[in-house]
Amino acid sequence: MATQAIDWGKPRRREWGTALRALRRLLANGEDTVQVFRIMRALNGDIAGRNYRKLLLTPEGGRLAYRRIELADRFSDRAWIDSLPDGSVGAAYRAFLDRTGYSAQGLADVSYADGEIERGVEHPHAWFGRRERDIHDIWHVLTGYQADEPLGEACLVAFSYAQTGGLGWAFIAVGAALKSLKITGRRTFMRAVREGYRHGKRAAWLSGEDYERLMTEPLDAARARLGIADPVVYRQAQRELTEAGLIGI
């Protein structure tokens, strides 16, 4: 598929049919991460532009926007990741990478896999969109919502919707919760997803953080400073669904 020349200064029309088809594929195969990006592009409209403008109004935002660090490159620098102190956000991220086998560059590659957008577009809204993509796994670390499919991911996308306002995140969270309810008849999953949304609403705006600096901060201190609550309901749901043999629904 040929890449599209997207006008990043103009909000995209919402494509509900595209989003619904992608959601069905994602719910059928939670490893098909390409569908996540299709949903985001179909439903998020001007969210990257809106949040970029919000970034510029924060104390650090002008400096971050001026520097335009590509976080996928930074987070793929294993020597830098290995240099981060024990107990830090970066150390927890290092453990996350080793446990899951994920990588920042791998996630970036998936976002381009269907050929719908170009790599490295030089526009501030495109840069901010890449930044939002690249901090997703750091949010797993900060929130305590693991990359377990589908529970932890659904909780984090609900958190992400509360943080960013991107309708695509809400679409995925609701779809996953309804699928769980249909299969299990239990509301445990849905309660955990609601917790993710509440935690996202109450926390500081994570998109405005300096992530190079944040990675050096002690994890517990960072969570406290950012107002990220303990995911109690998520852990309860994880235990309950695991004991019932339903965690991989």
Side-chain angles (χ1 to χ4, degrees):
M1 183 183 296
T3 55
Q4 297 180 3
I6 296 174
D7 183 352
W8 285 94
K10 180 180 179 180
R12 294 188 67 181
R13 177 176 56 85
R14 289 198 171 101
E15 302 172 4
W16 290 99
T18 298
L20 185 58
R21 288 190 295 273
L23 180 64
R24 286 171 176 161
R25 295 187 185 110
L26 180 62
L27 294 180
N29 176 12
E31 299 299 319
D32 189 1
T33 315
V34 170
Q35 305 307 324
V36 173
F37 293 103
R38 285 181 175 156
I39 293 167
M40 295 299 114
R41 289 192 289 269
L43 296 184
N44 276 4
D46 187 37
I47 204 67
R50 191 181 79 186
N51 284 331
Y52 177 78
R53 293 187 290 273
K54 182 176 179 179
L55 177 70
L56 295 180
L57 297 176
T58 66
E60 293 286 324
R63 180 179 63 83
L64 295 173
Y66 182 80
R67 294 180 67 207
R68 296 193 311 278
I69 298 295
E70 293 290 343
L71 290 178
D73 295 340
R74 194 62 171 134
F75 294 159
S76 296
D77 182 347
R78 186 64 197 217
W80 179 67
I81 293 293
D82 286 343
S83 74
L84 297 169
D86 290 345
S88 66
V89 174
Y93 177 63
R94 182 169 65 232
F96 172 90
L97 296 178
D98 292 343
R99 183 174 65 254
T100 62
Y102 294 170
S103 70
Q105 190 57 56
L107 185 61
D109 290 343
V110 169
S111 74
Y112 301 116
D114 61 5
E116 288 192 14
I117 59 172
E118 300 176 71
R119 292 177 182 265
V121 173
E122 294 184 337
H123 189 285
H125 297 175
W127 166 78
F128 188 85
R130 294 192 295 271
R131 174 181 163 85
E132 292 286 88
R133 174 199 67 198
D134 298 336
I135 60 181
H136 175 79
D137 286 342
I138 308 299
W139 287 15
H140 273 299
V141 169
L142 288 170
T143 62
Y145 294 123
Q146 298 175 23
D148 52 333
E149 177 61 43
L151 180 61
E153 290 290 356
C155 292
L156 186 59
V157 298
F159 181 97
S160 299
Y161 172 57
Q163 282 276 307
T164 68
L167 190 58
W169 293 122
F171 197 63
I172 295 170
V174 170
L178 290 176
K179 177 189 175 185
S180 170
L181 183 61
K182 179 179 179 180
I183 293 175
T184 70
R186 299 167 183 244
R187 296 185 177 274
T188 306
F189 192 112
M190 194 169 289
R191 288 198 299 271
V193 170
R194 284 200 300 265
E195 176 192 59
Y197 176 78
R198 290 195 304 270
H199 286 191
K201 290 294 285 186
R202 294 170 184 169
W205 191 53
L206 304 188
S207 295
E209 288 294 304
D210 180 337
Y211 277 82
E212 290 181 297
R213 183 186 303 160
L214 176 64
M215 294 287 272
T216 68
E217 190 173 349
L219 178 59
D220 290 342
R223 286 171 170 165
R225 178 178 64 81
L226 296 169
I228 300 173
D230 191 34
V232 174
V233 179
Y234 160 71
R235 286 199 297 268
Q236 291 173 345
Q238 194 178 45
R239 286 194 299 270
E240 182 179 324
L241 293 173
T242 299
E243 290 168 1
L246 297 171
I247 196 64
I249 54 173

